[in-house]
Amino acid sequence: MQLKKSFQVLVLLFIVLGLNSRNYCFVQDTLKKPVVALVLSGGSAKGLSHIGVIQLMEEVGLKPDLIVGTSMGSIVGGLYAIGYTVPELKEIATTTDWLYYLSNDTDLRNMNMEEKDDYEDYLYAIPILGGKPEISKGLIYAHEMYLFLSRLTFLANKYRDFDSFPTRFRAISADVIKGEPFVFKEGPLSVALRSSMSLPTLFYPVNYQDKLLVDGGVIDNFGVEYALQNGADIIIGSNVGNVLYGEKELGSFPKIYSQLIMINSKKKMEKYRDSVDILIEPPVLDMAARFDKAAEIIEIGYNEALKQKIQLKQISDHIKSFNSESEKEHGPRLRSVQIDNVEIVGISRVQTKFDILDLVRKHMKIYMGTSSIEHIIDDLYGTGQYAFINYTLEKQENNKYKLQLKFKEVSSNILQVGINYNDQSDMGLVVGFTSRNYLFPGSKFKIAGRISNYPGLDQYFAKYFIRKSNHGIKQTFSYVYDELPVYSGSSKVNEYTRNMIIPGISYLFIPDKYYMIEIGYQNKARFLRKLFMTESQKFEKSTSYKNSAFVNYYFNNVTDKFFPQKGNIIKLSIGYSFYNSIKLKNADATILKLNPEPHPELDFIWKNYIDINDRLTWENEIAFEYSSYSFTEPMVFFDNSFGGVIPDNKYQTPFWGLPNNYLVSSNKGIIKTGFRYKIVEKLNLRTILNAAIINDWKEYFGGGVSLELDLPTGPLSIGISKSLNYKYPVFHFNLGYFR
């Protein structure tokens, strides 16, 4: 008996030595089949190289029994664990717009019509709580990332825990409250993956089971320890993190930030390095943000794993020598579920909870999949009242599911700050304040102003008094200050200043998130100063008042406010001007009074965007303006100027090739066409050709090219344009957004 025990000890020792040698010579044994664990590190885009490692493992017939992942490693590993194939993982990696999901961006089509103009206007939004600024726990709420992960992991909802997956799985995150790791082994897989990739201070942390969870890489970016704790006998590791930069390499804040959060992980890596039987370290150190190189990164991972193909094949052959249990049956993938209970979490007002439940029940179906659930969430998120909304599904005893909708409410009061530079208005600071439900439930107050040499102000208050029908009233006030030049051919001969004060009130009807009808009244008071000319006289000042009743129709289903890839924008305004007056004062104090007759007015604009492919967008525009008020009379009565590339306010019609506000017009028609090409992510090349007929049927032709960059501070546009009607080329430089 003692001899038999000694022999077993020798066999075990020989197996252990074989596993940790580079020859991997295994002796067949009747002992239990070893547990093979695959450990995948975090590393942002670098972590996509894990897919190449998994591909090589499959080629040699090696299937892990356990996967432990951190950050991007948890996303790749988690999806593989629930049954995604390598080709499917490759498709996800190479076709996903990762930068879109790793930001606060959302498809503009998801926003309600009355929220579209306010979306993405500012550099930073500061919640005001109790009269004091509240510092956010993270810059990026990543609402779309929540939905993306829920979409990818929907099929995991049929399993009771992570041990029930086709491949056992663990996701590593860190609890910042206790300063300790938290390893997911059950619960919603989407929450586990979102927690594991939540870089601290950058992404808003995840609240789960009274814990505040962030990226697991803060504590352990390479979870060998947890593979051992879960019974791993053989560990294969794919590591693209834990590499500390030298002094010369720490040349930027992102690298210093990365170094700081990886120090603890580096120590853990050194401690457990010898526990890894096969360590694969794809050389992708400088590709952390290169999601556009996904295919190349995957290939690098595959080629690095290929160097250890023999050793991996030896492990595979050794595992196959055991009389192993048959693999778990995947069964059909879960596509939809039957929901019998809905829970609302994170909403403070009881009435709002009831309203949300009413909306959910209105859209409930017998069976619901990701698209039907996201449709409900899109309707709610589009109100602009929530920083993010996510959902989880919990399986009940009757094989039905409970749907939990979790909300992060936007603060009732928000201070917004941004910057703006325009060729016309110079550099300015944009400051805004938004208050919701403060005076009345279902109300929104907003005021935004630009502090610069050319100040401006927009304010409105809206109250939706029949919420379910989307009816409401809106009060508005605008102030515009600008300088308008006077051109003779290609020479500027004069300029004058314009102040406009425009109060108004209107009724809103908003049937859905794509179109809106507005019926209202506004008064425009214009005060023109400095010397300017009409056809026959020189004047010093002009004061005019214009009352208008109008009906406006708006349609907007474009994908993005600044760089749309597809969709349409339509604005149609039919107005009637009445009780009009003009008072002109010349240099010798002579006053001329005019009372223009009441007259109809019509404005129309249609913008169309067509995505030719992922990089190329074709854009077209048709616009015209008509007023029966004769353009032979003083032009001081007209609102809209003509010329320039980026309008400074809504009373300027852009035309590529002419300088800003080249002329003031009463009647015009414009057509534009051009292309926007995405050179790299966030950088676009735009070309435009345009033609116009102005006033007395005079024709204008022009075009230009610009480079446009999508920056956190707002869109940046630098370009040059030229018109056949203007002698000189026109340059433009614009940053940020105000109106």
Side-chain angles (χ1 to χ4, degrees):
M1 180 66 69
Q2 187 64 34
L3 182 62
K4 183 177 181 181
K5 288 184 178 180
S6 299
F7 178 74
Q8 289 178 338
V9 170
L10 287 173
V11 170
L12 285 171
L13 180 61
F14 188 72
I15 292 173
V16 171
L17 290 173
L19 287 173
N20 288 281
S21 70
R22 291 299 172 187
N23 292 322
Y24 296 92
C25 297
F26 300 104
V27 176
Q28 186 165 344
D29 179 42
T30 58
L31 300 176
K32 184 180 178 181
K33 170 181 167 290
V35 174
V36 178
L38 175 63
V39 179
L40 305 176
S41 76
S44 197
K46 299 183 295 182
L48 298 176
S49 62
H50 301 322
I51 300 173
V53 174
I54 294 172
Q55 179 184 350
L56 193 281
M57 290 176 62
E58 282 199 349
E59 288 180 4
V60 299
L62 183 56
K63 177 81 172 176
D65 303 293
L66 168 70
I67 299 175
V68 179
T70 305
S71 198
M72 182 57 79
S74 72
I75 295 176
V76 172
L79 297 182
Y80 186 65
I82 59 176
Y84 278 85
T85 64
V86 168
E88 288 173 327
L89 292 176
K90 284 184 175 182
E91 183 179 4
I92 292 169
T94 56
T95 61
T96 296
D97 186 352
W98 292 98
L99 296 181
Y100 168 74
Y101 289 115
L102 296 170
S103 70
N104 279 328
D105 288 346
T106 192
D107 193 319
L108 194 65
R109 291 173 296 185
N110 294 334
M111 305 305 295
N112 286 4
M113 193 66 201
E114 68 271 30
E115 296 291 329
K116 293 181 190 289
D117 284 343
D118 297 339
Y119 187 64
E120 293 182 329
D121 280 3
Y122 299 95
L123 172 62
Y124 194 61
I126 306 168
I128 305 297
L129 189 64
K132 298 179 181 179
E134 179 188 14
I135 305 301
S136 175
K137 297 183 180 72
L139 295 175
I140 299 173
Y141 290 111
H143 166 80
E144 292 293 342
M145 175 58 82
Y146 268 119
L147 297 183
F148 176 62
L149 293 176
S150 296
R151 198 178 310 135
L152 291 177
T153 62
F154 189 83
L155 58 95
N157 288 297
K158 73 176 185 178
Y159 300 106
R160 67 178 183 275
D161 54 34
F162 293 6
D163 285 338
S164 303
F165 292 172
T167 303
R168 291 172 58 212
F169 177 66
R170 298 291 183 268
I172 303 171
S173 60
D175 180 7
V176 295
I177 297 176
K178 294 184 178 180
E180 60 185 25
F182 180 80
V183 182
F184 280 89
K185 59 182 179 180
E186 60 183 2
L189 181 58
S190 59
V191 175
L193 303 188
R194 172 64 178 83
S195 303
S196 185
M197 52 75 63
S198 183
L199 282 172
T201 70
L202 185 61
F203 290 96
Y204 199 86
V206 176
N207 287 288
Y208 180 72
Q209 294 185 354
D210 298 324
K211 296 174 174 59
L212 199 62
L213 301 177
V214 298
D215 195 308
V218 173
I219 292 178
D220 192 347
N221 196 48
F222 193 52
V224 177
E225 176 183 3
Y226 308 106
L228 294 170
Q229 290 178 5
N230 284 272
D233 299 304
I234 301 171
I235 297 178
I236 300 164
S238 179
N239 179 39
V240 293
N242 302 113
V243 178
L244 297 183
Y245 297 102
E247 181 179 354
K248 294 182 179 180
E249 297 170 304
L250 289 171
S252 64
F253 172 75
K255 287 187 176 181
I256 293 175
Y257 173 77
S258 174
Q259 188 94 316
L260 286 172
I261 66 174
M262 296 301 291
I263 288 176
N264 287 331
S265 287
K266 175 66 176 177
K267 292 178 180 178
K268 280 238 178 175
M269 175 65 188
E270 294 302 324
K271 180 178 178 181
Y272 287 98
R273 177 180 286 271
D274 292 340
S275 299
V276 182
D277 298 287
I278 294 184
L279 180 60
I280 301 166
E281 295 184 301
V284 288
L285 181 61
D286 294 324
M287 304 180 79
R290 298 307 305 269
F291 288 100
D292 58 317
K293 299 285 187 181
E296 180 181 335
I297 292 172
I298 293 170
E299 188 68 20
I300 291 173
Y302 177 83
N303 290 333
E304 192 65 21
L306 195 62
K307 296 176 183 179
Q308 303 198 52
K309 181 177 181 179
I310 295 175
Q311 292 89 340
L312 291 169
K313 184 66 168 62
Q314 288 176 343
I315 294 177
S316 175
D317 292 341
H318 176 67
I319 297 300
K320 291 175 182 176
S321 68
F322 290 84
N323 294 321
S324 60
E325 299 176 359
S326 59
E327 291 188 9
K328 296 178 184 177
E329 293 289 336
H330 288 207
R333 290 190 173 182
L334 189 67
R335 303 295 183 186
S336 61
V337 297
Q338 191 171 1
I339 295 173
D340 68 348
N341 189 17
V342 179
E343 182 182 8
I344 307 298
V345 177
I347 298 298
S348 55
R349 295 179 68 245
V350 174
Q351 184 58 50
T352 304
K353 279 189 177 182
F354 287 143
D355 291 342
I356 292 172
L357 285 171
D358 284 345
L359 178 68
V360 173
R361 294 189 182 105
K362 179 181 176 182
H363 290 88
M364 286 282 285
K365 300 176 181 178
I366 296 177
Y367 289 94
M368 299 186 70
T370 56
S371 60
S372 52
I373 295 174
E374 286 184 23
H375 178 72
I376 295 172
I377 291 175
D378 287 344
D379 280 352
L380 293 167
Y381 183 74
T383 64
Q385 299 187 51
Y386 309 105
F388 65 78
I389 307 172
N390 65 8
Y391 73 92
T392 57
L393 293 166
E394 182 180 332
K395 195 172 185 179
Q396 310 293 295
E397 292 182 358
N398 57 2
N399 285 326
K400 296 181 180 180
Y401 288 78
K402 179 176 78 173
L403 171 66
Q404 183 188 81
L405 294 172
K406 186 172 183 180
F407 297 77
K408 167 63 180 174
E409 290 183 300
V410 171
S411 176
S412 297
N413 301 306
I414 298 177
L415 177 66
Q416 297 123 328
V417 180
I419 60 174
N420 167 255
Y421 178 86
N422 190 285
D423 293 325
Q424 305 168 63
S425 57
D426 295 333
M427 181 61 76
L429 176 67
V430 181
V431 180
F433 177 75
T434 301
S435 180
R436 297 177 185 272
N437 305 312
Y438 185 68
L439 296 176
F440 305 99
S443 66
K444 179 181 178 182
F445 171 85
K446 180 172 181 177
I447 185 167
R450 180 176 61 205
I451 304 171
S452 74
N453 292 330
Y454 300 88
L457 182 71
D458 284 323
Q459 173 271 322
Y460 75 82
F461 173 78
K463 171 70 175 77
Y464 303 98
F465 52 87
I466 308 177
R467 187 194 64 81
K468 292 183 180 179
S469 299
N470 295 313
H471 296 263
I473 57 173
K474 183 167 77 169
Q475 167 269 323
T476 61
F477 177 86
S478 295
Y479 170 71
V480 176
Y481 174 80
D482 54 8
E483 287 189 352
L484 300 181
V486 178
Y487 281 92
S488 176
S490 298
S491 301
K492 186 169 76 169
V493 297
N494 216 325
E495 65 182 12
Y496 58 94
T497 63
R498 176 174 66 173
N499 290 265
M500 290 201 296
I501 298 174
I502 310 159
I505 189 167
S506 60
Y507 158 79
L508 303 176
F509 174 55
I510 312 169
D512 64 27
K513 62 182 65 177
Y514 295 137
Y515 74 94
M516 175 171 68
I517 296 172
E518 181 180 16
I519 303 173
Y521 159 82
Q522 68 178 12
N523 174 272
K524 293 179 182 176
R526 304 176 198 75
F527 307 96
L528 309 183
R529 300 295 183 265
K530 296 184 180 180
L531 189 66
F532 65 96
M533 295 181 293
T534 65
E535 291 183 350
S536 58
Q537 302 182 65
K538 293 184 178 180
F539 293 94
E540 201 172 63
K541 296 179 181 179
S542 169
T543 302
S544 63
Y545 297 94
K546 179 179 180 181
N547 296 279
S548 298
F550 61 85
V551 177
N552 293 339
Y553 171 83
Y554 304 96
F555 179 87
N556 186 331
N557 70 344
V558 297
T559 54
D560 186 83
K561 185 170 185 175
F562 304 116
F563 303 100
Q565 286 186 291
K566 57 184 176 181
N568 296 272
I569 295 175
I570 299 173
K571 296 181 181 180
L572 172 64
S573 178
I574 302 172
Y576 187 76
S577 177
F578 57 95
Y579 292 122
N580 305 310
S581 66
I582 304 174
K583 185 169 67 173
L584 297 161
K585 181 180 179 181
N586 63 17
D588 61 3
T590 301
I591 296 176
L592 175 64
K593 293 183 178 180
L594 301 172
N595 296 104
E597 293 293 325
H599 57 274
E601 296 177 328
L602 179 66
D603 289 311
F604 174 80
I605 184 170
W606 172 51
K607 297 181 180 180
N608 168 249
Y609 301 90
I610 301 172
D611 56 334
I612 305 299
N613 54 46
D614 291 340
R615 290 185 175 271
L616 189 62
T617 300
W618 180 23
E619 58 178 290
N620 301 280
E621 180 179 331
I622 297 175
F624 60 82
E625 176 188 358
Y626 168 76
S627 172
S628 66
Y629 179 68
S630 173
F631 55 79
T632 60
E633 297 183 49
M635 300 300 292
V636 297
F637 193 60
F638 297 119
D639 303 325
N640 292 340
S641 59
F642 175 72
V645 173
I646 308 293
D648 184 57
N649 57 65
K650 59 186 176 182
Y651 301 103
Q652 177 184 355
T653 302
F655 187 85
W656 290 59
L658 294 177
N660 293 308
N661 304 311
Y662 181 71
L663 55 84
V664 177
S665 61
S666 60
N667 296 304
K668 58 179 173 286
I670 303 170
I671 58 172
K672 295 180 183 178
T673 190
F675 294 91
R676 186 176 65 249
Y677 178 75
K678 183 167 69 175
I679 301 171
V680 295
E681 201 66 43
K682 305 292 184 180
L683 178 63
N684 300 274
L685 176 67
R686 188 182 182 201
T687 60
I688 290 290
L689 294 174
N690 48 201
I693 298 176
I694 305 296
N695 292 339
D696 54 352
W697 300 100
K698 185 174 181 180
E699 299 173 343
Y700 290 83
F701 301 94
V705 61
S706 67
L707 282 174
E708 300 179 338
L709 186 61
D710 189 4
L711 295 173
T713 52
L716 170 67
S717 179
I718 305 171
I720 183 173
S721 59
K722 181 70 175 65
S723 172
L724 299 179
N725 307 83
Y726 189 73
K727 182 177 179 180
Y728 308 105
V730 176
F731 297 91
H732 76 266
F733 179 91
N734 298 273
L735 173 65
Y737 179 80
F738 174 50
R739 290 190 173 106

